[in-house]
């Protein structure tokens, strides 16, 4: 079995890094709720892996990728504070974190941007983080 690509390796490491944080679980309502797709029938607060871009950043025989990855936190209409609290905790846990990636080495992980908006249709609040990562393939 081959090592995962840089995007999947980073996502897996993020999930592992967040999994043991009791404060984050409490903000989600008791369990970490970070998903690839919106959970069917689930009420907010939950988070989704959003848009991700991995660009080649190789040099001198080292295969590397610069990634931009979004995490979007959905909260109930009229409750932007709940989503912002989750996003803030995720940012605290991930900014400059030293994560172990399968088949890759994390060189740098930063929270490059964050913000909040409201869905015009449902009124649900969304907070988001844009992560900036540099990874190198190993092995």
């Amino acid at each position: 079995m081959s090592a995962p690509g840089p995007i999947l390796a980073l996502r897996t490491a993020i999930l592992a890094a967040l999994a043991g944080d009791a404060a984050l679980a409490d903000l989600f309502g008791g369990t970490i709720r970070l998903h690839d797709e919106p959970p069917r029938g689930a009420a907010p607060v939950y988070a989704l892996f959003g848009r991700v871009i991995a660009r080649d950043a190789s040099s001198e025989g080292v295969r590397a990728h610069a990634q931009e990855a979004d995490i979007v936190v959905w909260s109930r209409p009229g409750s932007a504070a709940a989503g912002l609290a989750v996003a803030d905790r995720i940012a605290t846990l991930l900014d400059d974190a030293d994560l172990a990636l399968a088949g890759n080495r994390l060189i740098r992980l930063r929270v490059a941007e964050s913000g909040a908006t409201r869905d015009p249709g449902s009124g649900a609040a969304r907070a988001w983080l844009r992560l900036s990562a540099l990874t190198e393939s190993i092995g």
Side-chain angles (χ1 to χ4, degrees):
M1 187 168 144
S2 65
I7 293 172
L8 185 56
L10 182 60
R11 282 187 177 191
T12 301
I14 286 170
L15 286 169
L18 299 181
D21 191 73
L24 181 60
D26 286 345
L27 291 170
F28 273 116
T31 187
I32 307 290
R33 300 177 66 203
L34 176 56
H35 308 282
D36 286 323
E37 300 291 332
R40 184 169 283 189
V45 173
Y46 60 84
L48 302 173
F49 284 110
R51 174 188 147 283
V52 62
I53 297 171
R55 292 184 178 87
D56 181 57
S58 301
S59 65
E60 299 180 31
V62 176
R63 185 82 172 143
H65 291 89
Q67 295 187 50
E68 290 181 6
D70 293 350
I71 295 177
V72 181
V73 181
W74 287 88
S75 56
R76 294 172 295 285
S79 183
L84 287 167
V86 167
D88 286 347
R89 183 65 187 158
I90 292 172
T92 296
L93 294 169
L94 295 181
D95 192 52
D96 225 9
D98 184 19
L99 307 181
L101 279 65
N104 296 267
R105 179 177 30 250
L106 182 63
I107 305 302
R108 174 185 71 243
L109 178 63
R110 298 297 309 207
V111 175
E113 293 181 318
S114 61
T117 188
R118 188 166 307 281
D119 182 72
S122 68
R126 286 182 290 189
W128 54 270
L129 304 169
R130 176 154 299 142
L131 304 173
S132 174
L134 180 61
T135 59
E136 290 181 347
S137 298
I138 56 175

